[in-house]
Amino acid sequence: MAPRCRRLFRLLAASTLLVGMLSVAAPADARAGALCLPVHLTGVGQDQGPDAQGNLVTTATISFAGFPIGTTRASFTPSGPPTGGVLAFTGPIVFTPSGSTATVTATVAGSVDLATGTFQATSTSVTAAGVPLVVSGALTFRGTENLSTGAFTETITGRLCVNRR
């Protein structure tokens, strides 16, 4: 695989950002010239607790078909006190592919159930830095955190599209 294709694969496979199932049949987006791919990734991570500003920080290793392809670091701002045992949050999840300095950022809004550890977050925007591509799409992060240890697993699904700048 050519170096340029490898970089694109790593970038898309992110997430946030993130591409799974590389079935590149035909671009399927309303935007002409965009290449859109489905995303299906898994993550294993750790809740790092609050930072100095009170934002909730997480880190994770992201995998495609069981193979690690990169890492994420997220910083979530709670949207207020929990309501009915559910804490709402917003913030960026930044994916860095292995062996790259490029990043894909999914800004999300989500919630976590403080009794079960179940969480869900949906992207409100997706952007890329360090590549000559415009990235767009929608990602959903679903998983469960062990509220005693802070360890979590997640599934990342959605669709990402890329277009040259």
Side-chain angles (χ1 to χ4, degrees):
M1 186 183 301
R4 179 178 236 174
C5 291
R6 262 194 303 272
R7 275 183 273 142
L8 178 60
F9 174 76
R10 286 185 187 136
L11 176 65
L12 289 178
S15 190
T16 198
L17 350 163
L18 312 165
V19 174
M21 312 301 272
L22 288 177
S23 55
V24 187
D29 189 79
R31 297 181 343 179
L35 171 64
C36 296
L37 298 168
V39 173
H40 187 81
L41 302 169
T42 57
V44 175
Q46 182 66 42
D47 183 333
Q48 303 294 333
D51 63 12
Q53 290 77 39
N55 292 324
L56 308 173
V57 176
T58 67
T59 56
T61 298
I62 306 302
S63 298
F64 170 67
F67 295 98
I69 59 166
T71 60
T72 60
R73 179 172 177 82
S75 178
F76 301 124
T77 302
S79 298
T83 303
V86 175
L87 178 67
F89 59 84
T90 59
I93 301 173
V94 180
F95 173 80
T96 304
S98 300
S100 176
T101 58
T103 61
V104 176
T105 300
T107 301
V108 301
S111 63
V112 59
D113 184 312
L114 298 176
T116 65
T118 302
F119 63 87
Q120 180 273 331
T122 302
S123 63
T124 56
S125 71
V126 178
T127 59
V131 293
L133 301 170
V134 176
V135 176
S136 62
L139 298 171
T140 299
F141 301 76
R142 288 188 176 92
T144 304
E145 179 176 330
N146 179 320
L147 297 172
S148 297
T149 67
F152 66 87
T153 58
E154 65 185 340
T155 301
I156 305 161
T157 58
R159 175 177 290 269
L160 287 181
C161 300
V162 295
N163 223 353
R164 291 197 174 275
R165 291 191 191 273

